[in-house]
Amino acid sequence: MWTGRRRAPPPPLVLVAAAAAVVVVASAQEAVLRVGFYRATCPIAEDVVLAEMRLILMEDDTLAPSLLRMHYHDCFVQGCDGSIMLRSRKGKTERDALPNRSMRGYDAIERIKARLETVCPLTVSCADITAMAARDAVYLSHGPWYDVETGRRDGNVTVAEYVENDLPPPDSNIVDVKTFFSVKSLNSKDIAVLFGCHSIGTSHCGPIQKRLYNFTGNMDQDPSLDPAYAAELRKLCPPPRPGDDDDGVPGGGKTKVSLDPGSNYTFDLSYYRHVLATGGLFQSDGSLLHDPVTRGYVEKVANASSPDEYYGDFAAAMVKMGRTDVLVGDLGEIRPTCGIFVD
């Protein structure tokens, strides 16, 4: 829970299953997931995760948005079950799907898991590590500290095709965004709040080229995009060319563009000011302005004199998302390594 101020954390101290994993109803999930789940079995779990995250981000602070994104992608595809970490020799896992080909941070999660295995073997799930690492990524990017519910277990089912079916693409309009989020029991306010994750990070050019150069199929630009901002983006991101590909990201090129210019590694309110002033980087960012609830929230946060209310909303929305279709109790597994091969 967010207490109204940015407080410090506590001091430190296989194969794919034949059938899909059973989904627990929300009331049962909430009864099992709880803050301090590892208090008896691994009381230093959160301290270990935070200590490792400090070191990881000291070595490469650009991993913070990637680890936040990883938790979101994990939760939206088959629930928050750590299945995004699974690997396939045949390219059939979630991490092989197009939206995840630019994902970074798998090694960071494995590093944290390996450290936890030395102190609490076969105790802390990869799903929980991913959730805690996302929280710590926000905190270490000058954002809020909030309590993370734990108690998830790991799934061993992973299907690449599910990723594009379950994740809203960057060129989504607000109707599509609301549809994708509603399936996960997340409402319009949750959408506006969670899009604040775009306060940190960058994108390849590929996801915005359609918006800049062929918005309706007539070689046009999205009219809702601020012209001056669009001109800046065009300088960074030229029109796509055949074979323009970086790490499997079509149209990606080598260029990275800030999601929140001038503040792309500081978690703050400037993302909302940027969206309100320019329409944001992605079409989905700009879509927040095309719904009365999400637009009202963007305007409120953009004009806020203090981040406290937003930080409280963000904590609540992250906890809510973190309850999505989790495996608890006797479901799922705790494995010694997160990125096992499924074939």
Side-chain angles (χ1 to χ4, degrees), residues 53 56-74 84-85 94-95 97-110 130 133-134 137 200-204 246-247 249 256 264-265:
M53 281 292 294
I56 288 165
L57 296 186
M58 282 177 62
E59 296 166 12
D60 183 359
D61 62 356
T62 69
L63 284 174
S66 296
L67 291 166
L68 179 55
R69 178 185 177 211
M70 183 181 291
H71 179 46
Y72 159 57
H73 281 213
D74 185 40
I84 193 171
M85 292 296 300
E94 292 169 33
R95 68 159 80 183
L98 181 61
N100 287 334
R101 289 183 196 167
S102 62
M103 183 74 72
R104 301 167 59 237
Y106 297 110
D107 290 345
I109 298 297
E110 292 288 11
T130 303
I200 54 175
T202 60
S203 171
H204 292 273
D246 179 39
D247 296 330
V249 185
K256 299 285 187 70
N264 55 312
Y265 291 110

Side-chain angles (χ1 to χ4, degrees), residues 37 48 72 84 100 105 118 126 141 146 154 169 190 199 213 218 298 305 308 330 335:
F37 178 86
V48 169
Y72 159 57
I84 193 171
N100 287 334
T118 66
C126 302
S141 299
Y146 58 91
D154 294 326
D190 297 323
S199 176
Y213 298 106
N218 294 312
V298 169
S305 58
D308 286 354
D330 295 329
R335 49 182 177 262

Side-chain angles (χ1 to χ4, degrees), residues 65 197-203 229 257-261 264 271 274 280-282 285:
C197 291
H198 289 176
S199 176
I200 54 175
T202 60
S203 171
Y229 179 51
V257 184
S258 296
L259 295 172
D260 182 14
N264 55 312
Y271 163 77
H274 174 60
L281 182 65
F282 299 139
D285 291 319

Side-chain angles (χ1 to χ4, degrees), residues 47-341:
D47 295 337
V48 169
V49 175
L50 179 59
E52 287 299 317
M53 281 292 294
R54 287 187 189 278
L55 295 174
I56 288 165
L57 296 186
M58 282 177 62
E59 296 166 12
D60 183 359
D61 62 356
T62 69
L63 284 174
S66 296
L67 291 166
L68 179 55
R69 178 185 177 211
M70 183 181 291
H71 179 46
Y72 159 57
H73 281 213
D74 185 40
C75 288
F76 263 58
V77 182
Q78 299 193 105
C80 313
D81 66 349
S83 58
I84 193 171
M85 292 296 300
L86 296 170
R87 295 188 288 171
S88 167
R89 296 177 179 88
K90 301 177 181 178
K92 295 183 177 181
T93 65
E94 292 169 33
R95 68 159 80 183
D96 298 308
L98 181 61
N100 287 334
R101 289 183 196 167
S102 62
M103 183 74 72
R104 301 167 59 237
Y106 297 110
D107 290 345
I109 298 297
E110 292 288 11
R111 171 174 166 175
I112 297 168
K113 175 65 169 173
R115 180 75 182 95
L116 283 166
E117 287 298 303
T118 66
V119 293
C120 305
L122 294 177
T123 302
V124 183
S125 70
C126 302
D128 279 344
I129 292 171
T130 303
M132 290 185 281
R135 184 267 313 279
D136 294 348
V138 170
Y139 174 70
L140 295 172
S141 299
H142 309 287
W145 172 272
Y146 58 91
D147 292 324
V148 172
E149 294 179 339
T150 45
R152 302 167 189 81
R153 290 170 65 85
D154 294 326
N156 58 8
V157 176
T158 179
V159 181
E161 288 78 7
Y162 291 171
V163 177
E164 293 193 50
N165 291 338
D166 291 345
L167 286 173
D171 61 354
S172 297
N173 59 40
I174 191 60
V175 174
D176 291 338
V177 171
K178 289 170 72 173
T179 299
F180 278 101
F181 274 69
S182 66
V183 171
K184 309 303 176 186
S185 300
L186 297 168
N187 60 33
S188 294
K189 180 180 178 180
D190 297 323
I191 291 169
V193 172
L194 291 171
F195 264 58
C197 291
H198 289 176
S199 176
I200 54 175
T202 60
S203 171
H204 292 273
C205 289
I208 63 171
Q209 284 172 325
K210 177 184 175 183
R211 193 180 192 199
L212 290 174
Y213 298 106
N214 197 24
F215 185 62
T216 65
N218 294 312
M219 308 303 290
D220 54 344
Q221 178 180 293
D222 181 354
S224 69
L225 189 60
D226 176 71
Y229 179 51
E232 293 177 16
L233 293 177
R234 283 171 172 262
K235 292 177 183 177
L236 295 170
C237 299
R241 297 171 298 177
D244 186 10
D245 187 15
D246 179 39
D247 296 330
V249 185
K254 297 290 183 182
T255 303
K256 299 285 187 70
V257 184
S258 296
L259 295 172
D260 182 14
S263 180
N264 55 312
Y265 291 110
T266 301
F267 192 93
D268 54 22
L269 306 187
S270 63
Y271 163 77
Y272 292 96
R273 300 180 189 118
H274 174 60
V275 169
L276 190 60
T278 69
L281 182 65
F282 299 139
Q283 183 182 342
S284 56
D285 291 319
S287 79
L288 296 178
L289 302 178
H290 302 155
D291 174 86
V293 175
T294 54
R295 183 185 181 95
Y297 192 84
V298 169
E299 291 174 341
K300 180 173 73 170
V301 177
N303 292 296
S305 58
S306 165
D308 286 354
E309 182 177 357
Y310 173 68
Y311 284 173
D313 290 342
F314 180 77
M318 288 293 286
V319 169
K320 185 177 179 181
M321 183 184 76
R323 295 171 177 165
T324 303
D325 296 340
V326 296
L327 301 173
V328 293
D330 295 329
L331 300 174
E333 62 187 11
I334 305 295
R335 49 182 177 262
T337 303
C338 295
I340 62 171
F341 283 97

